[in-house]
Amino acid sequence: AKAEGRNRFHYFSESLQSIAIRRMSVHSDLRTAIKREEFVVFYQPQFDSHGKSIIGIEALVRWQHPSKGLLNPADFLDIAEETGLIVEIDKLVISAASKQYAQWKSQLPSFDNIKMAINISARQFKDEGFLPTIQTTLEEFSLDPSNIELEIVESELVQDFTIALSVINRLNDLGIAVAIDDFGTGYSSLSYLKRLNVQTLKVDRSFLEDVPTSEVSCRLLRGLINLGKSMELKIVVEGVETQEHLNKCIEYDADVSQGYFFAKPMIASDIEKFF
Ligand code: C2E
Ligand code: CA
Ligand code: CA
Ligand code: CA
């Protein structure tokens, strides 16, 4: 039993070691990536309540790694968050997405009232430079604050509620809308949510699982949409993968639908075919 215990410990420490090695190597690669601006922004279109016309675009970061190829957030975001490098990455994305927005606005004739959704880490809220960066970026590309919307995941918002409350208020003063991402997964109490001046709820895609086959899942989706509506928020349903999903979004009157049924995230030039 003793030997077994020692082996188990050995195994355990080895896996911890490999986690540590991955962390160190991704960490140092990320630093370089920020200096060399190896990040690419992909874009996913969002559709109106009938699922007919494009009304928004979400910017989603990718990392063009010199040897590993194109990496998804799942491959590096945890370490970027832990090390705080996410703050720099988000700024690069804000800048690239704003520049792209300005270009589309000047080139695409029907590019009107399109909102660009940009994901940010709640870590930005503790960064003094965040609000000035946003303002400078909007000015640099002559964007209106109403052109962009910032998305923050629900679970991060509740961690530092007081700070989130004040930064969101300041964003609102600047005319920038804020969305709560992955809504329904963050265990935030409704009394907290009520106090945040957000404009949009993005219902997490897990709520589309078993829709429309499960009656309970359908009612839960409808309930979440109605909850948001009773708070007078714009409701986005993400992860719409099938015609049946879209039908439910239409039936329950979601404002915006987004998902693989319409399109996967794509490079900027591919977005242009939607206009
Ligand atoms: P998210 O903000 O909830 O974005 C939606 C994710 O679901 C994206 O994954 C998207 O590609 C994927 N998706 C879209 N439609 C569907 C669908 O119909 N079915 C399924 N199964 N998936 C769908 P992605 O691009 O890998 O991003 C993962 C997460 O990384 C994002 O989740 C967001 O939280 C975070 N993220 C992405 N870009 C940034 C960024 O620039 N800054 C920060 N801080 N976080 C980011
Ligand atoms: Ca998002
Ligand atoms: Ca989400
Ligand atoms: Ca997510």
Side-chain angles (χ1 to χ4, degrees):
K2 215 173 184 184
E4 195 188 72
R6 210 179 297 139
N7 278 340
R8 216 184 284 139
F9 176 75
H10 184 64
Y11 175 75
F12 183 56
S13 68
E14 229 168 34
S15 75
L16 271 187
Q17 196 180 17
S18 67
I19 291 171
I21 288 169
R22 173 188 173 247
R23 183 168 298 156
M24 274 189 302
S25 103
V26 174
H27 186 186
S28 87
D29 280 7
L30 272 175
R31 281 184 191 284
T32 316
I34 291 168
K35 274 193 222 111
R36 298 192 187 147
E37 305 199 0
E38 289 170 356
F39 299 96
V40 186
V41 184
F42 273 42
Y43 299 92
Q44 188 181 31
Q46 302 177 316
F47 291 80
D48 68 5
S49 56
H50 309 287
K52 291 229 155 60
S53 45
I54 178 171
I55 54 170
I57 297 171
E58 179 174 8
L60 294 156
V61 72
R62 300 288 181 266
W63 176 7
Q64 188 63 63
H65 192 284
S67 60
K68 295 177 186 158
L70 193 68
L71 301 181
N72 284 320
D75 302 316
F76 61 89
L77 221 63
D78 57 337
I79 292 173
E81 285 276 355
E82 279 172 36
T83 55
L85 292 175
I86 189 67
V87 173
E88 291 312 309
I89 298 170
D90 281 351
K91 283 176 185 163
L92 291 173
V93 173
I94 291 169
S95 172
S98 301
K99 183 177 180 183
Q100 185 60 63
Y101 188 100
Q103 201 176 318
W104 281 330
K105 198 159 87 171
S106 72
Q107 287 173 351
L108 304 171
S110 55
F111 198 83
D112 286 327
N113 305 314
I114 298 287
K115 246 191 200 319
M116 174 85 85
I118 302 175
N119 295 284
I120 57 159
S121 162
R123 269 183 174 268
Q124 295 294 352
F125 288 176
K126 292 183 200 155
D127 186 82
E128 297 276 296
F130 174 59
L131 288 169
T133 302
I134 293 269
Q135 273 183 298
T136 314
T137 308
L138 291 177
E139 277 162 30
E140 182 182 356
F141 300 108
S142 311
L143 297 193
D144 193 89
S146 67
N147 295 155
I148 66 167
E149 180 163 65
L150 299 178
E151 298 190 352
I152 304 142
V153 296
E154 184 188 18
S155 54
E156 289 187 31
L157 274 180
V158 288
Q159 278 168 26
D160 278 298
F161 184 76
T162 319
I163 296 177
L165 190 72
S166 92
V167 178
I168 289 174
N169 284 339
R170 279 190 283 163
L171 285 166
N172 274 288
D173 291 342
L174 295 173
I176 298 170
V178 177
I180 298 187
D181 208 344
D182 299 357
F183 178 61
T185 65
Y187 311 105
S188 57
S189 82
L190 291 174
S191 67
Y192 270 25
L193 271 188
K194 207 175 83 177
R195 290 168 57 200
L196 291 173
N197 291 316
V198 297
Q199 285 68 38
T200 302
L201 286 187
K202 291 192 84 171
V203 176
D204 190 68
R205 67 178 149 84
S206 59
F207 292 100
L208 282 178
E209 267 167 36
D210 307 319
V211 168
T213 43
S214 150
E215 190 52 39
V216 173
S217 298
C218 290
R219 268 181 273 156
L220 189 54
L221 176 66
R222 187 206 296 260
L224 283 173
I225 293 173
N226 286 339
L227 175 75
K229 285 184 165 275
S230 60
M231 293 163 87
E232 297 184 310
L233 301 173
K234 180 173 85 179
I235 313 299
V236 182
V237 177
E238 56 179 2
V240 174
E241 292 182 350
T242 62
Q243 178 70 57
E244 287 77 24
H245 285 164
L246 174 60
N247 291 346
K248 286 297 175 194
C249 293
I250 296 171
E251 182 187 338
Y252 302 155
D253 204 21
D255 301 294
V256 183
S257 310
Q258 176 182 2
Y260 295 168
F261 175 67
F262 301 101
K264 290 194 170 178
M266 59 190 85
I267 55 168
S269 59
D270 285 343
I271 280 286
E272 289 155 26
K273 64 171 178 279
F274 290 93
F275 291 91

